[in-house]
Amino acid sequence: MKTNNFRGRDWIDAELDYTKEEWETLIDLSLRLKQEFSMGVDHSNILKGKTLFSMFFNQSLRTRSTFAAGIQQLGGNYIELEPGKTYTPARKGYEVPYKTERICDVASMLDRVGDAIAIRMYGKPAHWIYGFANATLKEFAHYANNPILNMECDIHHPCQSLADMITIKEKFGGFKGVNVTMSWAYSGSFEKPRAVPQSFIMAAAKMGCNVTIAHPEGFEMDPRIIEESRKMAAMNGTEIKMTNNFDEGFEGAHVVYPKSWGTGACFNYVDDAGTVVKEADHDLARSLFEANKDWKTTQKQMDLTARGGIYMHCLPADRDQEVTDDVIDGPQSVVMDEAENRLHGQKAVMALLMGGRL
Ligand code: CP
């Protein structure tokens, strides 16, 4: 296991920035830490004395609890900086006197006193401008020497995709020949990011799964992400399949991941100068969601999956909208394994990037 080339790196566009071999190292280390944790092995020397700062611009249960528990299990300190209670970090042009603080100053200051900064930002705090949150994290990375960890932005959620890959490896022993489907599902909330499906398809394609994407018309993902996923698939001799038919996504799949994500109409789009070139169309977004209420996973769809097929979801799930209780609580569901694997995956990321003693 080659671990010496991780130290000090950022974890932002991780599906693009880390090689397949590096993902394998992270997955293997996560599984080792998981096994040792279950046996009561003390990990508190790994990041002893190191400090992780977190900033959540959006709500979170899993990401918050697993980062907090994870760094403490590794012997480090967890300090949550709540935007709004601290001076909210802001990019140039988005500042409010004595309420915000320019990112260059926040990043440089935290660099002096801690060892990594983890950030979640998408949606309203990012003005619903597609890519704004990702650019914000990269601005932090520009000014910080310590690693910046993406806890979900508007393009990527690599902590989730790592936990998803750990889960697939646990269930199937590897990735080659595993048919995975990322499918859209209906939810009563139409203002949603699309980081989870985008990160999942890239990670699954990178690791060598056969990837299918299923969604109604109007829910296409970022074309750049699709292009990158296709390139990763080609490197493994696989390809990305697409369908607009809900049931077709389930047929023969070993892994189904039906979850809601936002339509492109949820977002504002800006050019390189920051000028809005296309505004969000909320009426269109709402009508696209309401026209596809039948994209709900029931046992009827699960019966179409391959023998041993599993149901995945990043959580939180909108029960009775995205999925019925009997499926998410049923024998094919692995959602709590995924949630638990957030802990072990992030411990591996922190241990390697923050210079842990392994
Ligand atoms: N899956 C996930 O990121 O969960 P939280 O929003 O609860 O952090």
Side-chain angles (χ1 to χ4, degrees):
M1 191 185 284
K2 194 174 159 204
T3 60
N4 58 357
N5 55 342
F6 287 86
R7 189 175 187 147
R9 287 170 69 184
D10 298 311
W11 179 258
I12 300 177
D13 296 354
E15 299 85 6
L16 299 174
D17 294 343
Y18 288 75
T19 64
K20 182 179 178 182
E21 291 69 31
E22 289 169 338
W23 273 74
E24 278 165 356
T25 297
L26 281 161
I27 293 165
D28 290 347
L29 178 59
S30 307
L31 290 168
R32 186 190 112 193
L33 292 173
K34 180 175 184 174
Q35 188 183 39
E36 290 176 358
F37 183 63
S38 74
M39 296 188 305
V41 173
D42 181 5
H43 288 146
S44 66
N45 204 36
I46 293 178
L47 285 178
K48 192 171 184 155
K50 303 265 187 180
T51 297
L52 173 74
F53 294 110
S54 77
M55 288 182 204
F56 285 92
F57 289 81
N58 310 85
Q59 70 265 38
S60 164
L61 170 65
R62 279 142 289 272
T63 309
R64 178 179 273 123
S65 58
T66 52
F67 263 109
I71 185 78
Q72 284 164 15
Q73 287 167 18
L74 296 176
N77 309 304
Y78 176 76
I79 298 178
E80 191 161 320
L81 301 172
E82 204 175 315
K85 289 198 177 156
T86 63
Y87 307 98
T88 304
R91 294 169 64 187
K92 191 174 177 181
Y94 293 89
E95 296 159 288
V96 181
Y98 208 47
K99 289 206 179 301
T100 65
E101 186 164 358
R102 186 82 63 86
I103 286 171
C104 55
D105 295 329
V106 179
S108 301
M109 188 268 152
L110 295 179
D111 230 18
R112 299 266 182 123
V113 295
D115 302 281
I117 309 170
I119 304 167
R120 164 169 288 195
M121 179 193 262
Y122 55 78
K124 196 171 175 201
H127 313 284
W128 282 105
I129 296 170
Y130 185 67
F132 185 98
N134 184 264
T136 300
L137 266 67
K138 287 178 180 163
E139 193 165 323
F140 266 96
H142 180 77
Y143 291 105
N145 292 314
N146 290 331
I148 300 300
L149 310 181
N150 183 351
M151 300 196 293
E152 185 172 3
C153 70
D154 41 14
I155 302 180
H156 298 258
H157 192 354
C159 294
Q160 182 65 51
S161 64
L162 177 59
D164 296 337
M165 294 308 114
I166 297 165
T167 309
I168 291 174
K169 180 139 188 196
E170 282 182 316
K171 302 298 173 194
F172 298 96
F175 304 97
K176 194 172 163 51
V178 179
N179 303 330
V180 307
T181 294
M182 171 50 74
S183 174
W184 187 83
Y186 170 74
S187 159
S189 151
F190 71 91
E191 284 192 318
K192 283 194 144 70
R194 52 187 182 189
V196 169
Q198 294 189 160
S199 275
F200 179 83
I201 61 163
M202 282 189 286
K206 172 162 260 176
M207 300 317 296
C209 297
N210 304 315
V211 178
T212 296
I213 302 169
H215 60 73
E217 283 183 29
F219 289 92
E220 292 75 19
M221 293 184 211
D222 182 337
R224 289 169 303 172
I225 298 293
I226 300 293
E227 190 187 326
E228 292 297 338
S229 304
R230 286 195 196 285
K231 282 190 215 160
M232 293 179 197
M235 287 177 75
N236 286 310
T238 63
E239 55 185 32
I240 309 284
K241 291 189 188 143
M242 305 270 196
T243 177
N244 295 133
N245 183 302
F246 189 44
D247 287 358
E248 201 176 304
F250 288 78
E251 285 165 9
H254 300 107
V255 176
V256 288
Y257 202 136
K259 81 163 299 296
S260 195
W261 68 75
T263 157
C266 291
F267 304 102
N268 299 301
Y269 297 87
V270 296
D271 62 17
D272 290 343
T275 308
V276 176
V277 291
K278 194 173 173 203
E279 283 194 19
D281 184 339
H282 291 202
D283 291 340
L284 174 61
R286 190 179 291 108
S287 68
L288 282 167
F289 269 76
E290 295 310 310
N292 292 290
K293 278 187 159 170
D294 54 338
W295 283 61
K296 170 160 98 174
T297 305
T298 69
Q299 194 55 46
K300 172 177 163 284
Q301 279 79 35
M302 293 308 296
D303 289 343
L304 300 172
T305 61
R307 193 182 165 87
I310 59 172
Y311 169 88
M312 295 180 76
H313 194 293
C314 56
L315 303 178
D318 292 319
R319 287 172 179 251
D320 299 325
Q321 295 184 333
E322 294 180 279
V323 59
T324 54
D325 285 354
D326 60 331
V327 170
I328 195 166
D329 297 329
Q332 290 172 277
S333 173
V334 299
V335 298
M336 287 303 158
D337 296 310
E338 285 174 88
E340 183 196 334
N341 285 336
R342 295 292 306 275
L343 173 72
H344 309 297
Q346 288 153 204
K347 280 170 76 174
V349 168
M350 288 188 285
L352 289 177
L353 275 56
M354 293 170 71
R357 300 173 197 94
L358 285 160

